[in-house]
Amino acid sequence: MSALQRTALYDLHLELGAKMVPFAGYEMPVQYGLGVMKEHLHCRARAGLFDVSHMGQVSLRPKSGMVEHAAIALEHLVPVDLVGLKLGRQRYAMFTNETGGIRDDLMVARRCDDLFVVLNAACKTEDIAHLHATIGCDCDIVELTARALLALQGPEAAAVLETVAPGVSDMRFMDVAIIDTADGPLWVSRSGYTGEDGFEISVPVERAEALARQLLAHEAVEAIGLGARDSLRLEAGLCLYGHDIDTGTSPVEADLAWAIQKVRRTGGAREGGFPGAARILGELDTGAARQRVGLRPEGRAPMREGTALYAAETGGEPVGTVTSGGFGPSVGVPVSMGYVPVDLALEGAKLWGEVRGKRLPAEIVRLPFRPSTYKR
Amino acid sequence: MKFTEQHEWLRVEDDLVVVGITEHAAEQLGDVVFVDLPEEGTTVSKDDEVVVIESVKAASDILAPLDGEIVEVNQALTDAPAKVNEDPAGDGWFFKMKLEDLSALDEFMDEAAYRAFID
């Protein structure tokens, strides 16, 4: 086991009283002094600052010099319309495998000279090897290890970031821009992983701590750890790779068909042409056998990852499994997501989750559990 | 007041033992969102899992510190599990046990020993 890596904000985390835990090969703050519940609620009420520097930041630079060519190349790996992605815009995508499962999910931003890609920390080494092996002849694949990544999320995020990076308030959800500041340019996207309006900010490591301190100096901003990041994304109905999606789940099963634009579907101008297209296009046309759904347990007992789901209160075999679950601080009740056969995946339908040997009722509900507040 | 290595406190009250978790344990656990209490009248053996506590982070158990009978549980925790964090040594108690012999408590740590244990 190699030593854990540290982000540029490691010392600041300690100074802020963070409890550090190993996560995806990094020492990361799971919570600060406020604790998970208050951090979660603060982010929804005001603004939260997250260190997400463990995530992979990669620049795909077309060898031809034309960014269109990088988009065409990357379309071989994802079922997403990247050729049609406009300059200054970002899209959610997923690397698929030959059997139609998901290798990783990612964000792709189109810029003047490159595609800027953000990858999950736990998958980034494999993703980068995958990129080299597949589109390395078309693109230089440059991992930007000298950059940190911060997220500022919550209703006051725009007002706070505007004081540091003038102009960010004019961005819309999923816009990306290079914003000049007094200390140099920042790469900003109006996106995040909380269901809140907010930003992700890529900054050179040597400027990361100063930027974090500048943002934290605002009375509206608190540092938020990985614990609340998880409960925030769960309430927002967002998938966590390795839990809600993995190499065995297809994008259609995962209810991510919205991320597959028409042009890549059956009959589209660039139909298929990505790994696992046969299965994924088939499922788009005729449906998948199972589907990710939201679950609202009836009582107060959380149904956590791994909870077996049953169609009846007694007897029978499990029909599905919870892939993420816990307590939703903003909704004030337990919430879960899991996979169930499509014929059972009906809003309002009742299932039973087996918690410590007892089958407890849960209702299938629409995702997200809490409406998102993106600035579209 | 006595303390177990599982971070429970034990307090004798009217010949019964009141059981809760220490402030240290409550802090480690994080915000408690659900408490699954045993039925009153249940006979338990030492180290039986008698209470499940769910925090925002994870589920954990409280073990019976000794053989005995659960004679009363703190029903208030069902609707207000946060009491465990707010007042772990007071309103956040979990259950009261009847023991055959209260002298069995002698084996547990006193406060000074517990403080040394968690340091």
Side-chain angles (χ1 to χ4, degrees), chain A residues 31 37 300-301 304 327 356, chain B residues 31 33 52 54-55 57:
Chain A
Q31 65 174 78
M37 183 91 89
R300 289 189 66 94
R304 297 189 189 270
F327 185 78
R356 292 179 283 275
Chain B
D31 304 291
V33 296
V52 177
E54 297 260 9
S55 73
K57 287 183 268 182

Side-chain angles (χ1 to χ4, degrees), chain B residues 53-111:
Chain B
I53 311 176
E54 297 260 9
S55 73
V56 278
K57 287 183 268 182
S60 49
D61 303 304
I62 295 188
L63 308 181
L66 291 162
D67 295 355
E69 184 193 341
I70 307 281
V71 293
E72 190 182 341
V73 299
N74 186 1
Q75 297 290 0
L77 297 184
T78 307
D79 292 321
K83 283 180 193 289
V84 176
N85 299 103
E86 288 157 10
D87 190 10
D91 285 350
W93 65 278
F94 287 95
F95 56 88
K96 295 181 183 175
M97 278 183 84
K98 189 191 280 177
L99 304 186
E100 296 238 323
D101 178 8
L102 282 173
S103 71
L105 289 176
D106 294 345
E107 66 172 278
F108 295 108
M109 294 177 274
D110 61 14
E111 186 162 356

Side-chain angles (χ1 to χ4, degrees), chain A residues 220-243:
Chain A
V221 181
E222 291 285 349
I224 312 291
L226 291 181
R229 182 168 159 85
D230 191 52
S231 55
L232 288 158
R233 71 91 198 163
L234 174 59
E235 280 184 346
L238 299 169
C239 290
L240 175 60
Y241 191 79
H243 300 262

Side-chain angles (χ1 to χ4, degrees), chain A residues 26 55-59 124-125 128 132 141-146:
Chain A
Y26 286 79
M55 299 187 79
Q57 301 183 66
V58 174
S59 166
K124 65 182 177 183
T125 307
I128 290 165
H132 275 291
I141 291 141
V142 185
E143 187 182 4
L144 307 170
T145 51

